[in-house]
Amino acid sequence: RVDSNARYRVLHLSTLSHLKGALVLLKAIPLVVRCRQDVEFVLAGPWSHEEDQRWARAFIAHEGIASYVRFTGQVTGTDKQALFETSHLFVFPGVQQEGQPLVVLEAMAAGLPVVYTDRGCLRETLGDRECGVPVPINAPKDLALQILWFLDHPLEMVAIGQAGRKRYEQRFTREKHISAMIQVFEEVGT
């Protein structure tokens, strides 16, 4: 996925809200585009709160970053898969506590490195900097710096994404999950 002439695509796919990190990502974008203009940010998913959506529109207009941001609305099926396949980096900077966001597993399966906040089990899921990199909660500057690091290191970005794909195949496929659940039930039954 390294192409020196292409725009890098940074993907955030979730319900769009402050709690899921959409506004933190938006605040990071002006910091990124001051250094790199070969990037676009795709925020996929429905807005959960009208006030967050209004804030986002006003912020984008005020910062003059509309040409770097694309909202897709909710995506499913082949459209969702195409977004993963055409992206370079996945960003999940949630503010709220998380369980196991399936979208992070989908990003790993697609071979995308993940920039995330250490909420719930995400550090365990992604390994210690193996498949992604944590950033502090509600820290747009730190998020921007980490995005810029990946953009400045495209070979490492690909390698970390490949490590995520490998980790997904080793631990998180449907077959691995069913096998682990059977093992838990067998241990409990003895």
Side-chain angles (χ1 to χ4, degrees):
R1 293 184 190 182
V2 177
D3 178 356
S4 60
N5 297 320
R7 271 179 105 176
Y8 288 100
R9 178 174 286 168
V10 177
L11 176 63
H12 174 73
L13 194 153
S14 182
T15 301
L16 301 182
S17 73
H18 164 69
L19 294 175
K20 293 287 189 178
L23 304 186
V24 176
L25 175 56
L26 286 173
K27 291 175 188 175
I29 293 172
L31 304 173
V32 172
V33 301
R34 284 184 195 142
C35 300
R36 298 286 300 252
Q37 292 78 49
D38 60 340
V39 62
E40 75 168 330
F41 295 85
V42 176
L43 287 84
W47 285 97
S48 65
H49 298 94
E50 194 173 309
E51 66 188 54
D52 286 348
Q53 186 178 18
R54 276 195 306 272
W55 182 92
R57 284 187 191 139
F59 181 81
I60 290 167
H62 179 264
E63 294 294 325
I65 57 172
S67 63
Y68 298 99
V69 181
R70 182 164 60 97
F71 294 96
T72 66
Q74 186 164 353
V75 291
T76 59
T78 57
D79 291 335
K80 183 178 183 181
Q81 189 60 37
L83 270 181
F84 280 117
E85 290 173 1
T86 59
S87 295
H88 299 89
L89 180 64
F90 187 77
V91 179
F92 197 79
V95 173
Q96 70 182 0
Q97 195 62 271
E98 290 288 342
Q100 174 58 74
L102 293 178
V103 70
V104 171
L105 297 177
E106 291 174 310
M108 291 171 69
L112 297 178
V114 180
V115 179
Y116 64 97
T117 49
D118 189 13
R119 308 297 285 156
C121 68
L122 288 175
R123 185 180 297 269
E124 182 180 319
T125 298
L126 293 158
D128 189 23
R129 300 177 137 335
E130 178 185 345
C131 310
V133 179
V135 292
I137 297 163
N138 207 16
K141 182 177 180 182
D142 292 303
L143 179 59
L145 289 172
Q146 196 56 64
I147 292 169
L148 285 167
W149 184 90
F150 275 109
L151 298 177
D152 289 342
H153 297 88
L155 297 178
E156 289 88 340
M157 182 165 45
V158 170
I160 292 170
Q162 289 171 342
R165 173 67 189 177
K166 183 178 179 183
R167 188 173 177 91
Y168 169 81
E169 290 171 353
Q170 291 171 341
R171 297 178 180 213
F172 300 110
T173 63
R174 179 183 176 124
E175 294 76 21
K176 297 287 184 181
H177 179 71
I178 291 169
S179 177
M181 292 303 293
I182 289 170
Q183 184 177 350
V184 167
F185 287 126
E186 286 174 349
E187 290 173 6
V188 170
T190 58

